[in-house]
Amino acid sequence: MCDLTSRTKTLLLLLFFLLASSPPFSGGEVAESCTETPLEFKCGAGEAAGGGGPVLVVREAWIYASMRLDPDSLPRCHVQEYNLEYKAGSFLQYINKQCGGQTECKFELQKHTDLQRREDLKKYRRGALRVVYNCVKKTDFHRVCGSEVNSQEGWVQSVGYPLYYLGDPVCTITLRVDEGQHIQVTLTDISLREDAQPGNKGCRDSIKIQEDGTELLEKCGVTNIPITVTSKGPVLNVTLTATSKLFPKRGFLGHFKALGCQTPPAPADGYMSYRNATHAEFWCCVHHTFPDTMTRRRVLECGDRTQTWNDTLPDCVDLEELLAGGNITESQYQNLVNGTTVLAQAERLRQAHIVYDLVVPTVIMSVLVLGNAAVVFLIIYCRKGVLEDGGRCEELESIKANPEPPDTIDNEPCSV
């Protein structure tokens, strides 16, 4: 490594001093500072007078060990590549306790944590603090118990955060996104009472995330790293259960977002016939078509990484308007109306397959059942007739074998 002149060293030291004494971070989403330097935040006044001004929401907070171990090297705490080998630990719970929900805040690692009692404090010297944060308006938080939130992204928090949280009754917020999408919830701050009863297991107060009655998460106490839960479907319930009406801890705060493509609005004179996590099928109404493909049907595919559809969805147009405007010929118009396009033929074939695969077997089975029923009926009827005729024959034979004597008159004279 080339030696630095005294002038270069002086310029670097001056630059470092200017960076270390720069104004508080504002308007950005990443804040960095040396471990020996206070970390300052200021979200601005905004609508603070009306109670809806922006407040600090910390998403991640990490300490990175110094890359320079040589005491004679220049003062430097910035880690250019945030590799895991330099990630010494998280201080999320400490900065949330000091700065969460505040408009302005100053955080000092030595003052606002218990790290000074640890033996490994030396490895934090001349290290770097890196915080990912947002300034969020108070009115943008969803906190109303029993409410349903239909949004692609947003924030949820408990009532009273960060001063206290409420209990009794149970507070549930339902998150809902489009069919075919999933919901990812990341809890960035949890500060709830744990079970204070010796020998008891579980949480006295807890935050739960449930989907269709299935519990995906139950957490109490505090968290020092973000906790992420992802749903399988489009609906999640976030529930705070507490045994006291009011408890002096922060509660919880989290961020949610939809995963997957948002369902596009149906085109004019068209409709959506099918949607899942990866595909969506749209159709134009009868006598309408998509103008770029001259077909009634369009299938969109959602990209896994981009979370965007692979094609556009224009409005459907009337075939008669296209004909009147000279955009299609009479032959094309008749073909489109009569359904002689390839897709229309495919649709007719599909419907024909449905007829052959479903209707025809059903008719055949019905005929067989009715035929069998008729045969059984005839057999029973014939048997009944044979029995009746046989009974009459037996009666005649009995009469012939044992005829009754005819009535006789006694002609003998009466004895005197």
Side-chain angles (χ1 to χ4, degrees):
M1 186 175 180
C2 300
D3 294 333
L4 297 174
T5 63
S6 59
R7 174 175 289 185
T8 304
K9 290 182 179 180
T10 302
L11 290 175
L12 289 174
L13 287 172
L14 179 61
L15 178 61
F16 175 80
F17 175 78
L18 291 175
L19 290 174
S21 58
S22 59
F25 300 101
S26 61
E29 292 189 354
V30 176
E32 297 177 358
S33 174
C34 299
T35 52
E36 292 85 3
T37 305
L39 191 60
E40 299 187 26
F41 301 90
K42 186 176 182 180
C43 285
E47 303 172 13
V55 295
L56 179 68
V57 173
V58 180
R59 304 182 75 157
E60 294 182 52
W62 296 98
I63 304 175
Y64 290 84
S66 175
M67 296 175 60
R68 293 178 176 269
L69 302 178
D70 183 4
D72 296 329
S73 62
L74 292 174
R76 178 173 176 172
C77 63
H78 178 68
V79 182
Q80 296 205 6
E81 297 294 335
Y82 292 96
N83 297 324
L84 291 178
E85 58 182 305
Y86 301 116
K87 188 178 287 186
S90 172
F91 61 102
L92 181 63
Q93 62 174 319
Y94 302 108
I95 196 169
N96 270 328
K97 182 178 180 180
Q98 178 66 18
C99 299
Q102 305 298 320
T103 301
E104 299 182 29
C105 182
K106 179 184 289 187
F107 179 83
E108 298 182 41
L109 189 66
Q110 303 292 332
K111 181 179 180 181
H112 298 123
T113 68
D114 58 359
L115 297 177
Q116 62 269 22
R117 297 196 296 268
R118 299 182 181 181
E119 296 180 358
D120 59 352
L121 179 61
K122 292 182 179 179
K123 71 179 181 181
Y124 298 133
R125 292 183 59 190
R126 300 172 67 185
L129 301 180
R130 188 172 191 267
V131 176
V132 179
Y133 73 98
N134 292 98
C135 289
V136 183
K137 291 183 179 181
K138 293 181 180 180
T139 53
D140 290 342
F141 291 102
H142 300 283
R143 63 172 80 189
V144 179
C145 300
S147 63
E148 182 175 296
V149 180
N150 292 273
S151 178
Q152 291 289 298
E153 188 173 6
W155 299 89
V156 290
Q157 67 174 198
S158 54
V159 178
Y161 182 92
L163 303 177
Y164 57 86
Y165 64 88
L166 301 176
D168 189 26
V170 174
C171 183
T172 299
I173 300 175
T174 300
L175 306 178
R176 184 182 297 274
V177 295
D178 291 347
E179 193 68 34
Q181 290 185 307
H182 311 292
I183 307 175
Q184 184 182 80
V185 178
T186 301
L187 298 175
T188 58
D189 189 16
I190 298 176
S191 177
L192 300 173
R193 176 173 49 176
E194 298 182 79
D195 198 329
Q197 303 295 330
N200 289 348
K201 296 182 180 180
C203 299
R204 190 169 183 180
D205 298 340
S206 66
I207 173 71
K208 295 181 181 180
I209 299 179
Q210 297 173 313
E211 179 181 14
D212 252 347
T214 301
E215 189 173 289
L216 305 181
L217 174 72
E218 181 180 13
K219 183 69 177 176
C220 57
V222 297
T223 181
N224 199 35
I225 57 173
I227 300 176
T228 299
V229 175
T230 303
S231 70
K232 294 181 180 180
V235 182
L236 273 183
N237 291 323
V238 181
T239 302
L240 175 63
T241 303
T243 54
S244 301
K245 291 186 177 180
L246 185 146
F247 197 79
K249 281 197 173 185
R250 293 189 304 278
F252 77 90
L253 183 145
H255 177 264
F256 69 91
K257 66 177 181 179
L259 301 180
C261 297
Q262 185 177 5
T263 302
D269 296 313
Y271 57 93
M272 184 176 70
S273 62
Y274 176 74
R275 165 73 206 266
N276 62 10
T278 58
H279 293 81
E281 183 181 68
F282 292 86
W283 282 81
C284 289
C285 298
V286 177
H287 291 184
H288 290 76
T289 185
F290 289 112
D292 52 348
T293 59
M294 290 298 169
T295 58
R296 287 186 57 202
R297 178 175 176 263
R298 174 161 297 187
V299 177
L300 304 182
E301 183 176 357
C302 179
D304 293 335
R305 295 183 179 180
T306 60
Q307 296 192 21
T308 56
W309 298 108
N310 67 330
D311 201 353
T312 58
L313 191 65
D315 290 334
C316 301
V317 295
D318 195 326
L319 292 176
E320 293 185 359
E321 292 181 3
L322 292 177
L323 178 62
N327 297 304
I328 57 175
T329 64
E330 181 68 29
S331 175
Q332 291 175 323
Y333 173 81
Q334 293 298 332
N335 289 339
L336 291 171
V337 170
N338 297 328
T340 57
T341 61
V342 175
L343 284 179
Q345 291 175 359
E347 178 62 17
R348 288 202 304 275
L349 288 175
R350 187 181 69 84
Q351 294 176 356
H353 281 303
I354 293 177
V355 172
Y356 287 118
D357 295 340
L358 181 63
V359 177
V360 172
T362 302
V363 172
I364 293 174
M365 291 298 297
S366 301
V367 171
L368 291 175
V369 170
L370 293 175
N372 289 334
V375 171
V376 171
F377 175 77
L378 290 174
I379 291 173
I380 294 175
Y381 177 79
C382 291
R383 287 184 177 179
K384 183 178 180 182
V386 169
L387 289 174
E388 291 178 352
D389 293 342
R392 287 194 294 271
C393 291
E394 290 176 359
E395 183 179 357
L396 292 173
E397 292 295 331
S398 175
I399 293 173
K400 291 179 181 179
N402 302 295
E404 292 183 1
D407 295 337
T408 57
I409 300 175
D410 188 5
N411 294 322
E412 291 293 331
C414 296
S415 59
V416 178

